[in-house]
Structures are given as structure tokens and as C-alpha cells.
């Protein structure tokens, strides 16, 4: 195999330096780094020659012209693979990729432990009203602790929307550590599959209505965009908490503001936002019973290293003609196979 005949590029960020190390060990692979500010005369030929794009998973960290949409795909006629750095793939138009014969893969499961632990941490912090107590203690010299009475999570009900890698791990933690009952909504899993992952299969309305805690753990897709709005929030119990470590735009921020303002739910834990990071004057940040983080649920040393490693392994295996295990658009495989064979002279399998 001739040197550097397989061309991969990324923009600004990778999950971990191990990705560069693993690709650098392959003489047949060339890896190019671009910046959001890279001039067009520099990035245009790299796009034109690229076979693969390791794309950032956070939409607001990536310049718009590097999002994977129809225009970029036209400028990258040799592109075969788009690989997200994370489990999410917000900057990628999957339908446009499928139409162009381009594989889309993610790194689902690589940060499952970290994200599930973050969701559980939010659940416990909200239950015990730790964040409210912390804020009160910093501004009031005479805090009345009786006004900060919390609740135990033990034996309560958690409703998980999306019982995949993260949701399944969260179910395991909640049921195993705290003896919680797990309800789950996931239209892509059977009741048997969900039971094996520790959840009782119910519809979304039942999750919202019956749960003491609602945790969102599904990807952002056309089906899930706007899934949790005013109607769904209205179903929640007044003592219930809403937690999301998934993606912005799955829940309606304005509708959440209204139920918090009117004290129709007990509070919220928010790791994801429509605009990331949210501005300090964001309406939801004005509530003491909102626990907020800037999309850091999966940002741990362990998760970053794991994501970088599996991203590199999956990319190299795909470039060697193997079928990726985390394929988002499997229906593209026949068209992709023909394009791959034209590029490299053999059929992937």
C-alpha cells in the first residue's frame, strides 16, 4: 500500500491524542488538522481529497461550513466515512450523507459510564438539595436548614427516555445502588430487550406521569427533536425532577422555564443546551433549583481516552474494508461499498 493514500481530516478537536498516535502508526494514512479559521484556499484541497472526516460532536464548537451538509459533501467528492467524535452527531446531516453514499459512524458507548454517573450525580444533588444549600450558605449568614429539606432517592421511580448504552448503565446504577424502580421509553427496543437492561417498557406519557425523576438519554434525531415540550412537562408530578445529559433541542427550554417558574416541578439538572455554552443570563440559570453544567457529562479523562481509542480503531478498520460496529445509516452500505471499491480497489465486507 502506497504511503498516505488514505486521507483523513479533522477540525480543531479530537477526543484524545491517542487518535493521532494510532493513525500516525499507519504509513498508508495521512491525517490533516484544520481549524475553524483555516482559509478556504487551504482547506478546499484537503476536503476534495479526503476519504474520511473525524468530525466534532458538539455543533457550537464547529464552524458552520465544516458541518456535514450538502455543500460540504459536494466539496468532498471522495468522502467515504464521517465519524463523530462522540455518541452524538449533531453537526451531521445523515440523510444527505446517505444520499451521497457516505457512511456515518459514532462512538456510542465510549462515554456511557461517565455520562450515567453525571446523571446520577445530578439526581442525588437535586434530591438532597445540595446545590440550593450551597448557594444559600454563600449568601445568607443565617441559613435555616429546615427550609432545605431533601428527599431520599431510595425506592423512588426513575423514568429513562432512551435505554441505550447510557440509559442502560443509569438503570443499572439506580436499581442496584438505590433500589429504584426503572420505567423506560425507547421505541427501538422490545419489552424483552428493555427488561434485560433493567427497565419496564412504557410509553413516553407514562414515563412523564409516573416518575419521580425523568432522565433524557437518547440521541438528537428528527424524531426526538422537540419531544419534551409543554404538554409533556405538564404531565410531571410537582415533586419530580427533570434531568438531561443527552442533547439540546430534545426538550423545549421555554416550556421548562415555565414549569419551573410556576413551581409545577421540583427542579432540573441540565447538561445540554440549545446554545452551548449558555450565556450567564440564560433564564434557566436564574433558578436555585436548576443544577447546570456545560455539556461536561462525558468529559472525563477515562471517557476521552476511550472515545479516542475506539474512534481510531473504528476509522482504521473501516479504511481497511471492515464493516463498522457503530454504523448510523446501515442502509447506505451497498452504495458505499461500490464507492469504496472504486477508491481502493477491493470490496469492503
Amino acid at each position: 500500500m502506497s504511503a498516505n493514500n488514505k486521507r483523513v481530516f479533522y477540525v480543531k478537536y479530537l477526543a484524545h491524542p491517542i487518535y493521532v498516535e494510532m493513525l500516525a502508526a499507519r504509513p498508508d494514512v495521512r491525517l490533516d488538522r484544520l481549524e475553524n479559521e483555516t482559509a478556504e484556499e487551504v482547506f478546499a484541497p484537503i476536503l476534495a481529497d479526503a476519504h474520511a472526516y473525524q468530525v466534532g460532536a458538539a455543533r457550537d464548537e464547529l464552524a458552520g461550513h465544516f458541518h456535514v451538509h450538502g455543500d460540504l459533501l459536494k466539496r468532498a467528492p471522495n468522502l467515504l466515512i464521517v465519524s463523530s467524535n462522540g455518541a452524538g452527531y449533531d453537526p451531521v446531516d445523515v440523510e444527505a450523507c446517505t444520499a451521497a453514499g457516505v457512511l456515518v459512524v459514532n462512538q456510542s458507548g465510549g462515554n456511557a459510564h461517565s455520562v450515567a454517573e453525571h446523571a446520577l450525580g445530578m439526581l442525588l444533588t437535586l434530591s438532597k438539595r445540595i446545590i440550593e444549600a450551597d448557594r444559600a450558605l454563600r449568601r445568607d449568614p443565617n441559613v435555616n436548614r429546615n427550609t432545605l429539606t431533601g428527599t431520599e432517592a431510595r425506592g423512588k421511580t426513575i423514568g429513562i427516555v432512551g435505554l441505550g448504552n447510557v440509559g442502560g448503565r443509569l438503570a443499572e446504577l439506580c436499581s442496584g445502588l438505590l433500589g429504584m424502580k426503572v420505567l423506560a421509553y425507547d421505541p427501538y427496543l422490545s419489552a424483552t430487550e428493555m427488561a434485560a437492561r433493567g427497565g419496564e417498557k412504557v410509553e413516553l406519557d407514562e414515563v412523564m406521569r409516573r416518575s419521580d425523576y425523568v432522565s433524557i438519554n437518547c440521541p438528537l434525531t428528527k424524531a426526538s427533536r422537540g419531544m419534551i415540550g409543554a404538554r409533556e412537562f405538564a404531565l410531571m408530578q410537582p415533586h419530580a425532577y427533570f434531568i438531561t445529559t443527552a442533547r439540546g433541542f430534545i426538550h423545549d427550554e421555554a416550556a421548562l422555564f415555565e414549569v419551573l417558574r410556576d413551581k409545577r416541578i421540583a427542579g432540573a439538572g441540565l447538561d445540554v443546551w440549545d446554545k452551548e455554552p449558555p450565556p450567564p443570563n440564560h433564564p434557566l440559570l436564574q433558578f436555585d433549583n436548576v443544577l447546570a453544567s456545560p455539556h461536561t457529562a462525558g468529559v472525563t479523562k477515562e471517557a476521552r481516552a476511550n472515545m479516542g481509542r475506539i474512534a481510531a480503531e473504528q476509522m482504521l478498520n473501516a479504511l481497511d474494508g471492515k464493516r463498522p460496529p457503530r454504523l448510523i445509516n446501515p442502509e447506505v452500505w451497498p452504495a458505499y461499498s461500490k464507492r469504496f471499491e472504486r477508491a481502493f480497489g477491493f470490496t469492503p465486507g
Side-chain angles (χ1 to χ4, degrees):
M1 192 68 71
S2 58
N4 295 333
N5 74 318
K6 297 174 181 176
R7 305 286 295 272
V8 183
F9 79 97
Y10 70 99
V11 179
K12 192 174 182 177
Y13 293 119
L14 289 168
H16 192 271
I18 195 172
Y19 185 92
V20 175
E21 296 170 12
M22 292 177 68
L23 265 66
R26 287 282 298 266
D28 57 326
V29 176
R30 170 173 166 171
L31 179 64
D32 288 299
R33 172 175 174 162
L34 300 174
E35 301 292 342
N36 279 329
E37 303 77 21
T38 299
E40 183 172 357
E41 59 266 27
V42 176
F43 74 70
I46 291 175
L47 263 62
D49 292 340
H51 298 112
Y53 179 10
Q54 187 67 47
V55 64
R59 60 186 177 275
D60 293 322
E61 292 180 352
L62 190 66
H65 57 277
F66 286 128
H67 286 213
V68 185
H69 41 52
D71 182 62
L72 183 140
L73 291 167
K74 289 177 183 177
R75 304 184 70 163
N78 297 302
L79 193 66
L80 295 167
I81 305 158
V82 172
S83 172
S84 168
N85 282 345
Y89 40 92
D90 296 13
V92 181
D93 184 334
V94 177
E95 289 185 358
C97 288
T98 301
V102 175
L103 286 186
V104 180
V105 300
N106 69 354
Q107 317 312 320
S108 61
N111 63 0
H113 293 293
S114 293
V115 178
E117 288 177 7
H118 196 96
L120 179 61
M122 284 186 152
L123 185 156
L124 294 172
T125 299
L126 291 165
S127 295
K128 295 289 291 177
R129 301 181 69 179
I130 296 171
I131 190 68
E132 293 178 72
D134 178 271
R135 290 168 177 168
L137 197 61
R138 293 171 188 272
R139 67 189 178 211
D140 185 352
N142 298 301
V143 175
N144 180 355
R145 64 177 184 164
N146 295 313
T147 65
L148 296 165
T149 303
T151 59
E152 291 185 352
R154 184 176 63 88
K156 300 296 195 302
T157 297
I158 182 169
I160 299 176
V161 178
L163 202 62
N165 292 297
V166 174
R169 177 58 178 156
L170 180 59
E172 181 182 24
L173 290 171
C174 289
S175 61
L177 291 175
L178 298 168
M180 298 179 74
K181 180 178 179 60
V182 180
L183 303 178
Y185 170 71
D186 194 320
Y188 304 103
L189 296 174
S190 69
T192 301
E193 290 172 320
M194 294 175 80
R197 300 182 186 196
E200 176 188 341
K201 185 177 178 67
V202 298
E203 293 303 313
L204 179 60
D205 282 6
E206 195 168 354
V207 163
M208 305 303 292
R209 188 180 294 114
R210 290 175 55 191
S211 300
D212 301 300
Y213 309 88
V214 173
S215 178
I216 308 301
N217 300 104
C218 61
L220 175 63
T221 65
K222 287 187 176 180
S224 65
R225 182 178 288 268
M227 179 171 58
I228 310 296
R231 176 187 171 279
E232 289 72 27
F233 283 124
L235 297 174
M236 292 180 67
Q237 302 178 75
H239 68 266
Y241 292 95
F242 177 78
I243 298 166
T244 178
T245 53
R247 280 295 189 274
F249 295 108
I250 293 175
H251 70 280
D252 183 326
E253 291 187 345
L256 178 58
F257 172 83
E258 290 181 4
V259 295
L260 287 165
R261 179 197 62 198
D262 298 341
K263 298 182 179 180
R264 286 184 276 142
I265 65 172
L270 308 175
D271 183 55
V272 292
W273 307 82
D274 290 358
K275 169 66 177 173
E276 295 183 345
N281 63 349
H282 191 291
L284 288 169
L285 293 178
Q286 311 316 308
F287 296 105
D288 278 354
N289 59 341
V290 169
L291 175 60
S293 54
H295 204 155
T296 54
V299 182
T300 64
K301 294 177 181 178
E302 296 85 354
R304 283 291 174 90
N306 198 35
M307 298 291 263
R309 178 185 56 78
I310 65 174
E313 289 174 348
Q314 185 163 235
M315 177 64 76
L316 292 173
N317 285 336
L319 290 172
D320 288 341
K322 298 176 183 176
R323 187 182 177 97
R326 300 173 181 85
L327 183 52
I328 301 301
N329 55 345
E331 67 275 17
V332 79
W333 189 260
Y336 163 80
S337 296
K338 293 177 182 177
R339 297 185 65 240
F340 186 98
E341 183 176 11
R342 287 196 297 269
F344 298 123
F346 65 98
T347 304

